[in-house]
Amino acid sequence: MFFQLLMSGLAIGCVYSLVALGFVLVASSANVMNFAHGEWVMIGAYLGVTFSVTLKLNLALSLLITALCMVVVGWVFTRLVFYPLRHRHLLTTTMATLGISIALQNAAMLIWGPYPLMMPLFFGDKPVSIGGAKILPQSIFIVVFTLVLIVGLGLAQTHTKMGLKVQAAAQDSEAAQIMGIKVNRVKLLIYCLAAVMAGTAGFLVAPIIVVTPTMGFMAMLKGLAATIVGGWGSLKGAVAGGLLIGVAETLMAGYISTSYKDVLSFTLLVLVVLFRPSGIVREKVGQKV
């Protein structure tokens, strides 16, 4: 039972990690909290239902089209919100994302309706036996796919020219611009990538939970909690925080009660803020002397 719960927790934790990664990317590059990030998760889930259930496309094609649509969502969001407000006060931009969040919830309700939708499990509901434990192929797929995605993102960040530009723009946009880096273009790429991360998380979690117009709010809270628990501004911390919260929640639900799993997540958040404000993964800060 423990191994089954562990695999389920890792699957949920991978989804939280993807949401937290999007938070970190936007926050580090624009220094702003995007309260519409959860709605990006919701849009990804609805797009997954539309392509795989309504249009009956296969899994790979549905995921690819969803990712492409999320690139468009990130681009539109950047042009309508972040770019016009880039010189405004931080609170102004943050409140604008909150307003967009409410607007997206109502738009989803108008487009897909107020009733919960379900997306079938990717590989059916027949579990796979591993060491006597019954594991759903869905959980294995989520863990493997997320691992490949995160490793690819990490390699691209450290071993590609564009990845180095993204790091430079996130650390000091003015200095990066002086060095000839087109900061606005790099930030546009970051926002689109964050939208793809959030949409992919929604697509992956859609078969596990019901898809509703308000599901993004809890996704946003869990992603924010994972970001703070792992370490604000750290990509590794976002992954670690998401996995920790996902596994802790699942073990709590399996051994004690599902009623307390959300309480545990935010209890972890409070404990980390009190006793280790930098998070479980400290951000390395270099200084040239």
Side-chain angles (χ1 to χ4, degrees):
M1 181 177 177
F2 173 78
F3 189 63
Q4 292 177 204
L5 292 174
L6 179 62
M7 283 301 300
S8 298
L10 288 175
I12 295 295
C14 285
V15 174
Y16 292 163
S17 297
L18 290 177
V19 179
L21 281 172
F23 254 121
V24 172
L25 287 172
V26 173
S28 61
S29 62
N31 194 27
V32 64
M33 287 295 302
N34 178 19
F35 283 108
H37 195 76
E39 274 55 53
W40 289 357
V41 178
M42 176 265 295
I43 292 174
Y46 270 118
L47 290 175
V49 172
T50 300
F51 295 132
S52 64
V53 177
T54 306
L55 300 180
K56 300 186 184 303
L57 302 179
N58 62 51
L59 172 63
L61 186 58
S62 298
L63 181 56
L64 176 61
I65 298 176
T66 298
L68 293 176
C69 290
M70 293 310 300
V71 171
V72 176
V73 170
W75 184 88
V76 172
F77 195 86
T78 302
R79 291 301 181 184
L80 294 182
V81 180
F82 283 124
Y83 188 76
L85 299 176
R86 64 190 184 282
H87 299 308
R88 299 292 184 89
H89 191 273
L90 172 63
L91 182 60
T92 302
T93 307
T94 303
M95 293 306 296
T97 64
L98 182 59
I100 294 295
S101 169
I102 298 173
L104 289 176
Q105 288 184 23
N106 286 275
M109 190 175 300
L110 291 174
I111 296 172
W112 287 285
Y115 302 106
L117 300 179
M118 287 294 296
M119 185 175 172
L121 294 173
F122 296 153
F123 304 102
D125 56 357
K126 185 178 180 180
V128 177
S129 181
I130 302 178
K134 302 296 183 180
I135 310 297
L136 285 175
Q138 172 85 18
S139 299
I140 300 175
F141 172 77
I142 291 176
V143 173
V144 173
F145 180 83
T146 305
L147 179 63
V148 172
L149 192 62
I150 291 174
V151 171
L153 178 63
L155 292 175
Q157 185 187 31
T158 56
H159 292 81
T160 65
K161 190 175 182 180
M162 181 56 69
L164 296 176
K165 289 182 179 180
V166 168
Q167 292 187 61
Q171 292 176 10
D172 192 331
S173 59
E174 293 182 1
Q177 194 164 7
I178 293 175
M179 296 300 295
I181 296 175
K182 297 181 179 179
V183 175
N184 290 334
R185 185 176 298 178
V186 172
K187 286 185 177 182
L188 177 61
L189 173 64
I190 292 173
Y191 299 144
C192 291
L193 181 59
V196 171
M197 289 285 184
T200 301
F203 186 97
L204 295 176
V205 80
I208 301 176
I209 63 174
V210 293
V211 181
T212 65
T214 58
M215 65 175 289
F217 178 72
M218 186 56 68
M220 185 267 295
L221 289 181
K222 294 299 179 64
L224 179 59
T227 302
I228 297 174
V229 169
W232 189 262
S234 170
L235 296 180
K236 293 180 181 179
V239 176
L243 293 177
L244 176 61
I245 291 178
V247 171
E249 278 187 1
T250 306
L251 292 178
M252 171 71 77
Y255 285 112
I256 301 178
S257 173
T258 57
S259 303
Y260 301 106
K261 66 183 186 69
D262 292 333
V263 175
L264 176 63
S265 302
F266 298 109
T267 300
L268 284 174
L269 172 61
V270 172
L271 291 176
V272 168
V273 170
L274 288 177
F275 298 104
R276 194 179 175 89
S278 61
I280 58 178
V281 177
R282 293 182 183 272
E283 183 183 10
K284 294 182 180 180
V285 180
Q287 185 178 3
K288 186 176 180 180
V289 296

